[in-house]
Structure formats: C-alpha cells, structure tokens
Amino acid sequence: MRITLIYDDEVRKKDLIASHGFSCLVEAHGKKILFDTGANGSILLHNMERLSIDPTLVEEVFISHAHGDHIGGLSDFLRVNPVKVYVPQSCSRPRGAEVIKVSKPLKLHENIFSTGELRGIEQSLAVKTEKGLVVVVGCSHPGVRNILKAASKFGEPYAIVGGL
C-alpha cells in the first residue's frame, strides 16, 4: 500500500502549493483511489502534475465529507477524469460522474472498504494490509474512536492517516 499526500496545509517540496484542505492518492490492491480533492481544483491538479501523478490513471474518487476543503476540487478533477465517486449519503450529488452514495459499511473492492457514513457527516476508507487495517480519514468529525470502531468490522486497525 502506498499513500501520497497531494493537498495539505503544509508542503515539503518547494514546487508544491500548500493550501487549506486535504487530498491523497491511495494505491492498494491494484487500485488507485483519490481520497478527497482539497479546496481548489487547480491546486490539486498542479500538485498532481508536480508529483508525477497522472489524473487520468486514477480509477475512482472517495469523498470523506462535503466540506469545501475536502470536496472543492472535485468538479475540476472530474472534467479531466470523470470516474466513479463514492460520497457519504448526506453529500449532494456531484455532476459529471457516476456517484455512489454511501450510508452503511460497504466493500468497494477486495480488501478495500468504506466505514459507511458516521454521525450523518463523514465516511472513512479502510484498507486491509499484511499488518492490519490502514484507515484513511478526512477530518474525523465523528471522532477517532467511532471511526476505528466502525473500521474494526473489517479487521484490526493498524494505522490511521489523514485529518485528526
């Protein structure tokens, strides 16, 4: 499994743009999943280019929740690559893509899961690895304890990454 931070408040590489928000590329079990899209699509796409991430090779998008700093870049990304998008049930339907609204725990692929929408606001991604589950979170609005409890339905949590 590999996680590449694309969009964050801080950057270490000089040619990346820092901005409030979050996005990362999750590569696991042969899948490339864009987790959240940050607040600004041009910054998202700029950082993807600088990180040598081809947006047309992303297979799907997983949106943790509908706050602008996590979903703001979605429409720009979908203009480049109109892939399937998993959104929490409470999220309005994005245009330009196949949308799957998630309310309950869901198996996305072999060893890749959604916790389902927790507390009516946010879902997290859980990926089985050899060491245990890696849980990728947006802001953790439902609380880390609740997220880990929900993810534990798929295995023993090993690591948590994202907004805490």
Side-chain angles (χ1 to χ4, degrees), residues 64-67 88-91 102-105 114-124 140-150 153:
S64 63
H65 63 294
H67 291 170
Q89 186 66 39
S90 62
C91 186
V102 180
S103 58
K104 297 180 181 181
S114 167
T115 59
E117 184 178 51
L118 303 175
R119 301 222 170 163
I121 189 170
E122 187 172 337
Q123 66 175 335
S124 296
S140 301
H141 291 294
V144 172
R145 182 181 313 232
N146 293 324
I147 292 168
L148 292 176
K149 182 179 178 184
K153 295 173 186 169

Side-chain angles (χ1 to χ4, degrees), residues 40-45 72-81:
N40 180 298
S42 62
I43 294 173
L44 173 73
L45 294 170
L74 182 60
S75 60
D76 285 343
F77 178 83
L78 291 176
R79 279 194 279 280
V80 173
N81 186 1

Side-chain angles (χ1 to χ4, degrees), residues 123-149:
Q123 66 175 335
S124 296
L125 189 69
V127 180
K128 279 188 181 179
T129 71
E130 291 177 6
K131 293 183 178 182
L133 282 182
V134 175
V135 182
V136 185
V137 299
C139 281
S140 301
H141 291 294
V144 172
R145 182 181 313 232
N146 293 324
I147 292 168
L148 292 176
K149 182 179 178 184

Side-chain angles (χ1 to χ4, degrees), residues 18-108:
S19 182
H20 182 65
F22 184 74
S23 178
C24 66
L25 181 66
V26 177
E27 297 175 271
H29 305 291
K31 299 293 180 188
K32 290 185 178 190
I33 302 170
L34 183 62
F35 183 97
D36 286 346
T37 61
N40 180 298
S42 62
I43 294 173
L44 173 73
L45 294 170
H46 167 87
N47 287 352
M48 290 179 87
E49 179 183 331
R50 295 295 189 263
L51 292 165
S52 298
I53 298 171
D54 182 347
T56 65
L57 298 179
V58 171
E59 297 172 71
E60 53 201 19
V61 176
F62 185 96
I63 298 294
S64 63
H65 63 294
H67 291 170
D69 56 335
H70 292 262
I71 196 170
L74 182 60
S75 60
D76 285 343
F77 178 83
L78 291 176
R79 279 194 279 280
V80 173
N81 186 1
V83 295
K84 183 187 313 182
V85 181
Y86 293 91
V87 298
Q89 186 66 39
S90 62
C91 186
S92 62
R93 184 178 183 87
R95 296 181 196 167
E98 176 187 352
V99 176
I100 297 179
K101 290 204 164 215
V102 180
S103 58
K104 297 180 181 181
L106 177 68
K107 178 180 178 180
L108 280 61

